[in-house]
């Protein structure tokens, strides 16, 4: 029988090139999420700015940079902007279904199209179908997959009436919120703004579950690829003294 230590052990990675800010080096502190205490540990660590990847929780521990800031949306106070309302209207033909965290070949095909179109040189670009399955299914916490499909003629009756898979989100359900672990979408329809649409849908899902927060991971000031997260207001940022309401810069 495998016995897991009651107190988590933390480790520090070696420096490597930062994927968000040129010329910077990143380091991470991480621990393993194992055993029956994994869900409670993830809740605690997420409140402290950690993120999950499979059975590892990590957070930045860079020596000369503090640009990565943990972000969570205040679900009950959130109101979509006019542009976000347009995104919602443009995707009224989609339906999202939350299901157990199981991978499929259809998901992987969409995942590959997304990476090849938007992140061809990224760290995940070489992931095989087995790597993808491990990303989705290796979790000892309450993890779900949400599939977004075009509505079919029988969508209101049975999921089998749904059509093309357009987007996928890998999401953790925690004690105080939902955490978007990873998401990807059909790259050939950029006018849909599917990334924004999935965040809006997750806000509504958290609200319907009575959960106060949607955790979006890290916002990196100065990184264009992370700039979208700041648009969802109001939100809190994790500061040295704890979570604080973010006040956007004027102008």
């Amino acid at each position: 029988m495998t016995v897991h230590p009651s107190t988590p052990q933390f480790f520090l990675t070696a420096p490597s090139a930062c994927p968000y800010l040129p010329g910077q080096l990143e380091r991470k502190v991480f621990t393993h999420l194992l055993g029956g205490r994994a869900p409670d540990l993830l809740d605690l660590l997420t409140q402290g700015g950690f993120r999950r990847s499979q059975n590892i929780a990590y957070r930045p521990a860079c020596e000369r940079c503090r640009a990565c800031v943990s972000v969570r949306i205040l679900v009950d106070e959130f109101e979509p902007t006019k542009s976000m309302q347009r995104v919602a209207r443009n995707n009224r033909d989609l339906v999202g279904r939350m299901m157990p965290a199981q991978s499929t070949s259809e998901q992987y095909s969409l995942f590959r199209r997304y990476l090849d179109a938007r992140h061809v040189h990224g760290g995940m670009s070489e992931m095989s179908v087995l790597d993808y399955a491990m990303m989705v299914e290796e979790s000892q916490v309450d993890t779900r997959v949400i599939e977004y499909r075009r509505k079919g003629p029988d969508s209101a009756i049975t999921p089998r009436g749904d059509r093309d898979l357009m987007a996928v989100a890998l999401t953790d359900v925690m004690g105080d919120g939902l955490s978007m672990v990873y998401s990807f979408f059909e790259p050939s329809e950029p006018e849909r703004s599917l990334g924004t649409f999935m965040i809006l849908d997750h806000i509504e899902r958290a609200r319907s579950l009575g959960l106060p927060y949607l955790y979006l991971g890290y916002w990196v000031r100065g990184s264009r690829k992370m700039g979208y997260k700041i648009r969802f207001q109001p939100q809190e940022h994790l500061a040295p003294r704890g979570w604080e309401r973010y006040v956007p810069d004027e102008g």
Side-chain angles (χ1 to χ4, degrees):
M1 180 177 68
T2 301
V3 178
H4 303 296
S6 58
T7 301
Q9 297 178 297
F10 292 87
F11 307 90
L12 187 64
T13 65
S16 60
C18 176
Y20 303 114
L21 299 177
Q24 296 286 352
L25 294 176
E26 71 166 358
R27 301 188 77 176
K28 295 185 177 75
V29 60
F30 69 94
T31 189
H32 298 279
L33 297 168
L34 300 171
R37 296 185 60 208
D40 290 338
L41 180 58
L42 179 64
D43 279 10
L44 180 63
L45 291 176
T46 300
Q47 292 167 14
F50 280 73
R51 293 285 286 167
R52 184 184 71 82
S53 176
Q54 294 175 232
N55 290 322
I56 288 176
Y58 68 91
R59 66 166 296 171
C62 306
E63 296 174 358
R64 296 184 177 87
C65 180
R66 296 293 182 269
C68 292
V69 179
S70 296
V71 171
R72 66 186 186 188
I73 298 172
L74 300 172
V75 167
D76 291 335
E77 298 182 52
F78 174 80
E79 293 185 5
T81 64
K82 290 184 178 180
S83 64
M84 292 175 184
Q85 292 173 15
R86 285 195 297 271
V87 169
R89 288 195 299 270
N90 290 341
N91 289 283
R92 284 178 298 186
D93 62 329
L94 301 186
V95 59
R97 301 191 187 279
M98 181 179 281
M99 57 194 68
Q102 295 179 345
S103 63
T104 67
S105 58
E106 187 182 23
Q107 291 171 16
Y108 180 72
S109 295
L110 177 60
F111 176 69
R112 284 262 38 113
R113 293 200 301 275
Y114 172 79
L115 291 181
D116 292 344
R118 300 178 70 102
H119 301 285
V120 66
H121 299 300
M124 306 175 81
S125 61
E126 301 300 322
M127 286 181 65
S128 67
V129 65
L130 178 59
D131 295 327
Y132 174 78
M134 292 172 62
M135 179 180 76
V136 172
E137 299 177 8
E138 282 202 1
S139 172
Q140 297 196 27
V141 300
D142 187 359
T143 301
R144 312 290 181 88
V145 163
I146 304 175
E147 291 188 347
Y148 299 87
R149 295 178 179 273
R150 297 183 197 270
K151 294 178 183 178
D154 301 321
S155 291
I157 302 172
T158 168
R160 288 174 295 180
D162 299 338
R163 294 172 175 168
D164 302 335
L165 182 64
M166 296 295 293
V168 175
L170 184 64
T171 303
D172 289 341
V173 182
M174 302 187 304
D176 67 348
L178 299 180
S179 176
M180 296 185 72
V181 177
Y182 191 74
S183 61
F184 54 94
F185 50 84
E186 176 56 57
S188 66
E189 300 193 26
E191 69 282 356
R192 284 183 175 270
S193 299
L194 286 165
T196 295
F197 172 70
M198 281 191 282
I199 294 176
L200 294 173
D201 180 73
H202 275 69
I203 291 172
E204 291 306 314
R205 288 178 184 274
R207 186 176 287 157
S208 68
L209 292 170
L211 300 173
Y213 304 116
L214 173 63
Y215 289 88
L216 287 185
Y218 303 115
W219 170 59
V220 184
R221 186 184 295 273
S223 171
R224 292 184 61 186
K225 67 173 66 175
M226 289 294 184
Y228 69 93
K229 296 182 181 182
I230 210 68
R231 298 190 292 113
F232 297 86
Q233 299 290 335
Q235 61 183 232
E236 292 182 337
H237 291 185
L238 185 58
R241 293 181 295 180
W243 290 94
E244 298 178 350
R245 194 182 186 97
Y246 173 72
V247 179
D249 296 333
E250 294 184 1

